[in-house]
Amino acid sequence: GQQLNQSPQSMFIQEGEDVSMNCTSSSIFNTWLWYKQDPGEGPVLLIALYKAGELTSNGRLTAQFGITRKDSFLNISASIPSDVGIYFCAGLYTGANSKLTFGKGITLSVRP
Amino acid sequence: DTEVTQTPKHLVMGMTNKKSLKCEQHMGHRAMYWYKQKAKKPPELMFVYSYEKLSINESVPSRFSPECPNSSLLNLHLHALQPEDSALYLCASSQQGIRYNEQFFGPGTRLTVL
């Protein structure tokens, strides 16, 4: 089946630093989604990408849909303590009964 | 109203109990989902309802029984669960059409099976 690779499993940064996360796939997708999940809560949708090459921003977050349609990245600029959480990428190839494929997630820690 | 709500927030049940999880959305979304999530793992899809009809069942054991009474509500009926079923159960919804792929999640129900 389809698999998404997110690595490393954990990242540790200093408050104020920028951080970039990658997500790669062995298959092409036509939708990429980035979610953030806080402990004990449901994932919150951060950014949705629908076109190869698309670059989208949401405040301090920027995400891009890779040209090959097999990857995406998320960049967080000027990190703050509330950026702590687990970041999941998810890909989808739409069709009958299509389903989201999630990456394993990256746990981000921000040192004040 | 742009949120998915889930009740209860926490649930502890014995292996012989019958309980139900509830999910509600008022965004006019016509697709609704149940996911199961273990600690530090991504969500795993269980069921998908599209226009109130079950369209995907990911080979989930029959002790989990979904129900979609109307376009805003989604239930998950639980019976004779096992301790390994303890997890965070997430409900999500999405529109049909061009925004179909954007799934919005509820806060989840933390289920503990004793």
Side-chain angles (χ1 to χ4, degrees), chain A residues 92-100, chain B residues 33 45 48 56 100-101 103:
Chain A
L92 180 74
Y93 194 90
T94 50
N97 293 335
S98 55
K99 300 171 281 192
L100 280 184
Chain B
Y33 311 78
L45 184 65
V48 181
I56 295 178
Y100 175 76
N101 305 326
Q103 292 185 23

Side-chain angles (χ1 to χ4, degrees), chain A residues 33-75:
Chain A
L33 305 174
W34 283 92
Y35 288 90
K36 177 182 182 249
Q37 187 171 23
D38 292 330
E41 299 292 331
V44 174
L45 182 62
L46 300 174
I47 291 180
L49 302 159
Y50 290 98
K51 286 200 291 195
E54 180 181 357
L55 187 70
T56 297
S57 293
N58 177 6
R60 294 178 296 105
L61 308 178
T62 302
Q64 184 156 32
F65 191 139
I67 294 289
T68 64
R69 297 168 70 190
K70 290 185 177 182
D71 63 334
S72 176
F73 79 76
L74 174 72
N75 189 70

Side-chain angles (χ1 to χ4, degrees), chain B residues 12 22 43 52 95 109:
Chain B
V12 180
K22 296 186 182 302
E52 294 122 71
Q95 293 179 357
T109 293

